[in-house]
Amino acid sequence: MSITMNLYYTGSNGSAKKFAEEMEKSGTADAIRNEAGNERYEYFIPMNDPETVLLIDSWKDQESIDIHHASPMMKTIADLREKYDLHMRAERYISDEAGVPDKDAKFIKQ
C-alpha cells in the first residue's frame, strides 16, 4: 500500500513556483525524498493555472507520513509557505494493491 498526497500550492505573481524552486535549491526537497518511507516527491505546474504548483508526495504508509509530519522539516516547509503567502488544498489517495484492472490495461501504453 502507498499513500499519495496531491498538494496544490497557490499564490500570486509566481510565488508558488518560487516556493518550489527554493524547496529544491535549498536541499529541503531532497532531504524529504531521503526520509524513510518516502516514495515520491515531485513538483509540477498545471498548464491551465500557472499560479499553482502541484506536489505529488507518496509514502509507504501512514506511519511514515506521521514521522515526517513530526519532524523539524515541517517547520521549514511551513516557514516557506508563509514567506510566499501560499494557500493549499489537498487530495489523498491510497494505492490499489491489485494494480491496473485488466479492463483498464488496454488504455495504458507501457
Side-chain angles (χ1 to χ4, degrees):
M1 175 188 79
S2 291
I3 299 170
T4 298
M5 298 297 300
N6 286 355
L7 300 168
Y8 297 85
Y9 294 99
T10 302
S12 59
N13 299 316
S15 62
K17 183 178 179 191
K18 291 173 189 169
F19 163 79
E21 289 170 344
E22 187 165 343
M23 287 287 291
E24 292 290 345
K25 289 178 184 172
S26 69
T28 302
D30 280 335
I32 294 167
R33 290 179 186 111
N34 289 321
E35 287 185 273
N38 184 267
E39 297 177 341
R40 184 177 188 189
Y41 195 90
E42 293 183 82
Y43 292 102
F44 299 89
I45 298 173
M47 293 182 72
N48 64 343
D49 184 2
E51 293 299 337
T52 294
V53 168
L54 166 63
L55 167 62
I56 300 177
D57 187 19
S58 295
W59 296 86
K60 179 179 83 169
D61 53 26
Q62 185 59 50
E63 181 181 9
S64 299
I65 295 171
D66 293 343
I67 292 168
H68 169 65
H69 285 163
S71 75
M73 187 90 55
M74 290 307 297
K75 179 166 178 10
T76 301
I77 296 167
D79 289 348
L80 283 177
R81 286 192 308 237
E82 188 66 28
K83 174 181 175 179
Y84 291 104
D85 191 26
L86 299 179
H87 301 276
M88 297 173 61
R89 70 180 170 88
E91 301 167 341
R92 179 182 172 100
Y93 302 95
I94 298 175
S95 65
D96 180 356
E97 294 301 317
V100 177
D102 288 339
K103 65 182 180 181
D104 296 328
K106 66 183 176 184
F107 300 105
I108 308 295
K109 181 178 180 180
Q110 297 196 16

